[in-house]
Amino acid sequence: MLEDLSSGFIELKKDEVLASVKSRIERGDEALKILEDAHKAMIAVGKKFQEGEIYLGEMLLTAEIFKEVLALLEPQLVDKRSPEARGSVVLATPKGDIHDLGKNIFATLLSSQGFKVYDLGVDVDPSLVVNTVKEVKPDFVGFSALITTAFASMKQLTDIFEKESLRGSFKLMVGGGVTTPILKDHIGADFQSTNAMDGVNYCLKIMAEKTSQNCV
Ligand code: B12
């Protein structure tokens, strides 16, 4: 069994990575812990890319391995208790960014906790986000961003939200590898994280506060 998923990803040893994940599932390792290790492996891949040690094509192949790992973990990640509807979330990777692995994880974890997720995909035009927000009136809007060039389109979107008096009707979250508290403040978001589970816990906390306010 591979002790270190990162080397398996970097060396594109798909069969070994998948076999290792399967045996960890069988021995009862927590799915979230395995996911965290796969996430770290992707960060290591990114570093190799940045250092010029691997190329774009190889980075793409590691993304395919990651998708297969996620498919193996999904049955463990999804809560089978069919929880009551807890709230709704519009999710998008904004214009200029095509990364979606983290967004998809966040969507899966939110759905498993009973949230209705409207996943608008990648490289999403601001008008689609705005129209969807007007139509479904979500409790949350989430942006997933992995490259800095997407910052401008997120700012553009939040300016539109303000201009159209939509901003007060939902909590705005931003997450993904390149996001920071500074970015959160820059675009006026309510929450920022590079961990999908933290995002889910934030949504659960806000919905619990809303419910207790309605009971008073
Ligand atoms: C895989 C990958 C790709 C794949 C993407 C495949 C796909 N379907 O997504 C491919 C090969 C297509 C790709 C393309 C490019 N990539 Co790329 N890519 C990566 C890599 C290696 C991994 C990203 C990833 O999936 N990580 C795993 C996931 C699970 O992590 P995550 O997204 O952060 O998500 C977690 C949390 O952040 C959270 N989360 C995610 N979203 C949200 C949202 C909310 C609201 C919340 C609460 C939480 C949350 O949930 C997840 C689990 O906890 C990163 C390296 C890195 N350090 O991230 C580079 C990286 C992001 N890519 C980079 C670059 C430069 C590119 C390209 C421009 C390369 C090129 N020359 O063309 C293009 C982008 C084109 C574009 N316009 O978007 C740079 C970005 C640098 C920067 N600072 O802007 C990085 C950092 C690599 C590097 N070090 O140089 N890439």
Side-chain angles (χ1 to χ4, degrees), residues 39 46 50 59 96-102 144 146-148 176-177 194 196:
H39 183 186
Q50 203 172 12
M59 194 157 71
D97 192 343
I98 59 162
H99 296 85
D100 67 355
L101 303 180
S144 178
L146 268 294
I147 55 172
T148 41
T194 53

Side-chain angles (χ1 to χ4, degrees), residues 39 42-43 45-46 49-50 56 59-60 63 66 96-103 105-106 143-144 146-148 173-178 191 193-196 199:
H39 183 186
M42 294 305 272
I43 292 171
V45 166
F49 174 73
Q50 203 172 12
L56 189 62
M59 194 157 71
L60 194 55
F66 189 91
D97 192 343
I98 59 162
H99 296 85
D100 67 355
L101 303 180
K103 170 182 66 59
I105 291 171
F106 189 37
F143 298 147
S144 178
L146 268 294
I147 55 172
T148 41
M173 305 179 286
V174 63
V178 293
F191 175 82
S193 177
T194 53
N195 181 304

Side-chain angles (χ1 to χ4, degrees), residues 79-172:
D79 188 336
K80 299 185 186 67
R81 285 173 296 160
S82 73
E84 74 278 16
R86 279 205 167 116
S88 57
V89 187
V90 169
L91 268 189
T93 298
K95 188 94 200 138
D97 192 343
I98 59 162
H99 296 85
D100 67 355
L101 303 180
K103 170 182 66 59
N104 297 346
I105 291 171
F106 189 37
T108 300
L109 293 176
L110 282 169
S111 305
S112 82
Q113 291 297 318
F115 287 91
K116 169 97 184 127
V117 178
Y118 299 88
D119 185 348
L120 305 182
V122 299
D123 196 22
V124 178
D125 204 81
S127 62
L128 177 60
V129 181
V130 172
N131 291 339
T132 309
V133 166
K134 285 181 181 166
E135 193 189 322
V136 307
K137 299 183 177 50
D139 299 290
F140 303 90
V141 172
F143 298 147
S144 178
L146 268 294
I147 55 172
T148 41
T149 45
F151 290 4
S153 60
M154 287 192 277
K155 180 75 176 106
Q156 185 194 352
L157 249 171
T158 51
D159 289 346
I160 300 173
F161 287 148
E162 289 291 350
K163 206 165 130 222
E164 302 214 11
S165 304
L166 292 166
R167 183 60 188 87
S169 65
F170 56 81
K171 294 287 186 194
L172 181 64

Side-chain angles (χ1 to χ4, degrees), residues 48-74:
K48 292 276 175 201
F49 174 73
Q50 203 172 12
E51 288 162 357
E53 285 184 42
I54 63 166
Y55 297 101
L56 189 62
E58 289 161 313
M59 194 157 71
L60 194 55
L61 291 173
T62 62
E64 294 307 316
I65 301 177
F66 189 91
K67 280 184 201 163
E68 293 199 32
V69 168
L70 187 58
L72 288 177
L73 295 174
E74 236 154 24

